[in-house]
Structures are given as C-alpha cells and as structure tokens.
Amino acid sequence: MAKKREITIPYGFIPRAYQIPKWNYIANGGKRAVSVWHRRAGKDLTEWNLLICEAFKRVGSYYYFFPYYKQGKKVIWNGIDGSGRQFLSYIPKQLIDGKPNSTEMYVKLVNGSLIQIIGTDNIDAVVGTNPVGCIFSEYSLQDPRAWDYVSPILRENDGWAVFNFTPRGMNHGWDLFQSAMKNPNWYCERLAACYHPEFNPQGAGNGLGVTGVLTPEQIDEELASGRSESLIRQEYFVDFQASSDDILIPLNLIDQAIDRPVAYKNAPLVAGLDVGLSLSGDPTALVIRQGGKIVAMEEVRLDDYDQIAGWAYRHMMEHKCFTVMVDGIGWGQGAFQALRRLYPSLTVQSVNVAEKASADDRFARLRDEIWWKVREWFEEKQNCIPSGLALTDKLRAELSNVKYDFTPSSKIKVMGKREMKKVENGGKSPNLADALGLSLYGGAIAMKQTFERVKKTSRLCA
C-alpha cells in the first residue's frame, strides 16, 4: 500500500511581513480588499498563492483578472518569479486534475475547483460566469466593467474579491480606493517602497505605510539613472496625483487652475457641446468658457436631438453665449442640425475631429491638435476652473488621465476616445473634457462674432 504524502498549501511560498495582514484578512473570511502597492512589492506572487489556498478551502471557480489576456499569459501562465520558479508550480502537480488548458488558461483541481486567468480586454469572457473568488491585478489599468459584472455574483454567492494595483492617475482605481477607505467592511492599504526625505519623510502623517523593499539610496540611484521624479512618485510612492511621463496634462497644472484669480469680463463666450448616447451611459456635455475662465459646465442624458438642442440653448442663453462648437461625428451631427434649424440666432459650427490637423506636420489629426490646445491652455497659467461648479471634480479626473504618444512619423497622437473610455476613465467617455477642447477650438470664431455684433450695434446707434 502506497504511503500517503502530506502536501502543505501554500506550496513553498512564505509571505513577507507586509503581505500577511491582507492574506489573513481573506483567509479568515474577509470579502473585499484593496491593496495599492508599489512596483516590485510582489503583488502577483502573493495573490496567486492566496487564490490557490482559497480554491482548496471552498469548491468553486476562481478567476485571476489581468488588464489583457496576453499579460496574464506572460505574468502567470508562463511567468517565472524572482527565484526562478514558475508560477504554475505553486500548484502541486499531485493536486491537479488532468492537464492544464493552455488556450483558456485554466487549471482544474482534484477537489473540483477551477482556477482561470482572464483578460478584461475581452469583456465577453466575464459575462455569464459564476466565480466565488477573484483577484483583479493592476485594476487601475483594467476595464472596470469586469468588476461591475462580477460584483453582484459575489454578493449573491458570498464570494470575495481582492484588488491590487499601482496608481495610474485619478481614474477608477482612485475611486475604488477612496470608496474602500470609507467602508469599514473593506480591507484597504497603501504601501510605498520606503521612507525617503523627499518623497515620503518618516512621520509625515500621510497615512502611507512602507514595505522596506527598497532603500532611499536605491531610489536615488533610480533618479540618477534618468527616471523622472513623477514616475518615481507614481511607481514607488504610490502617488495618485503624480503624472506619468505620457500624461498629456499634468495634474498639478489642473489643480493650480482651480479658483485661480483671473478676470475676462469683456472676452467673448463660446461653448463646446459633446453629444453622448445616453443609452450606452454617456451623457451629453456642455462647457461654456469666457476667455480663460470656465463659467458653466452641464451634463444631461437625452437621446432626442431637438431636446438636446433645447437643453443646450437654454443654458447658453443663461450666460448670453451665442457661439457653440459641436462634435459633428456620429450622434453630434444630429444635434448640430437641430441647433441650426431651431435657433438661427446662434453661431453653430460642426467640428470633424477626425479631419486633418491645421498643423499636420505636428499632429496626426484635428482631435490631437485640439487636445494639445487644452494642454497649452493650462500651461499658460491664465485660466480658471471654479471649484464651486458641480462638475469640477469630474472634469479634473477626465483631464488628468489623458495620455499621448508619437506616431512613427513623429506626429503627436492623443489616446483614442474608445481606449480612454475603456480603461483610463473608468469606463466613461471624457465628454466634459472633449467639450472644453471644442470651446477652445472655437475661440477665434467667437471673437469674430463678437466683433460683428459690436459693429452692428454701432451702426444702429449712429
């Protein structure tokens, strides 16, 4: 008779001291946990082993979500940890039922549980599933709709979810962290790499814990090697407000514009209208600007073009604004036609952001040029976003998450709206920010219209 062999789970993994509190929280029945850990803190190795342990405690499906399918394959399925050990080897072979499925990246266990790696870039892979435990790795880069789909399932079957990520601006990751901080039923932590006299002084009272994985000297070496300060703040000191090098508009420029004392009493008013399809959850946004100051921001969910036009007209008349730029692609074209037909006193212009940029040697298309105008508007430091407007925080979040890159021909290309909506903006379209850009694009037209009105008034007076 073969002698039975005892196998201990976790299988050859010992968590570090700072990894134990969250581990114990889930192991002892906790249901929701958010960990904002710095780069190289061992997020995936810890939570992969946590998932394995929980899969042997309760029979069910366990999902490890990554932003992309290929990323899950690289990090876990084919991944090797710092000691040279394969991630999959943390599941003892004796406890695997059959052969792991490399195509769908799942492993069946002898107790009946299933562990699968899923990319949220294929959102259809999430719909209709019934997991009892989930890890959301690098959640700040994921499509947040995956959690929207899974959340009610876990609530119904008393399952658990763990989120780990390094900050990527004030997007849906920031929203989740803030929500968890206020909810006593959630475990929540934020850990930096170390104390540092410049980035994280000891005793600063900022509520930021440390892992001690790196030393201040190693951080200084990173800086000396050419790493930017903003990248260091984001990656090693988990700073949500640090802007990575590919962020179009740094958050500090946006914050400096909040309630900046500027006066544009005689400047023309111009509005930007970005039309959203409310059936898909996107509102229509209107931004009215006078010179460097935003005077009004509004949102509405309507699908009738005449109603959208009437709504925009009423708000424009409240501020005596007679010029509006409309994103004329798709749904915007219907609103543009309605505004021109119903309100002939307005100057209404349709803007096709997919067209060639006026400075086509610098920008891939007009949309990129308009977004660059928004950046320059902040860089000039002569603008103001009043904190008293109800949508100021939302605009701030939308603006601070826009990224840009360069094409092979060295032209500036801003992240596409579909990609922006999918990940960086928490599954939401940046309609307010787009409306602001349209208003800036229409500045010259508003100035000309004001000049014509002054000339007409002068002739009447004469």
Side-chain angles (χ1 to χ4, degrees), residues 16 66 68 88-89 100 119 147 167 180 229 237 242 246 267 272 310 332 364 420 451:
R16 300 169 184 170
F66 278 94
Y68 303 99
L88 287 183
S89 73
W147 171 235
E229 181 178 311
F237 295 95
D246 58 352
M420 214 182 288
F451 179 68

Side-chain angles (χ1 to χ4, degrees), residues 394-414:
K394 185 174 183 182
L395 176 65
R396 177 177 181 265
E398 290 182 7
L399 290 167
S400 64
N401 285 306
V402 179
K403 296 182 178 181
Y404 76 103
D405 203 346
F406 293 90
T407 67
S409 58
S410 299
K411 293 183 180 181
I412 295 168
K413 186 179 189 309
V414 176

Side-chain angles (χ1 to χ4, degrees), residues 136-149:
F136 289 84
S137 182
E138 296 299 350
Y139 176 70
S140 58
L141 295 175
Q142 290 192 22
D143 186 335
R145 290 179 297 169
W147 171 235
D148 293 340
Y149 290 138

Side-chain angles (χ1 to χ4, degrees), residues 16 40 79 92 174 193 258 328 351 393 398 438 445 450 454 459:
R16 300 169 184 170
R40 291 164 54 184
W174 162 259
I258 304 295
V351 181
D393 286 345
E398 290 182 7
L438 290 166
I445 293 172
T450 300
V454 170
R459 287 197 300 268

Side-chain angles (χ1 to χ4, degrees), residues 70 72-80 86-88 102 105 117:
K70 290 183 178 179
K73 195 168 189 104
K74 180 180 179 180
V75 174
I76 298 284
W77 198 258
N78 296 328
I80 299 174
Q86 292 182 329
F87 271 73
L88 287 183
S102 296
M105 292 196 294
I117 300 164

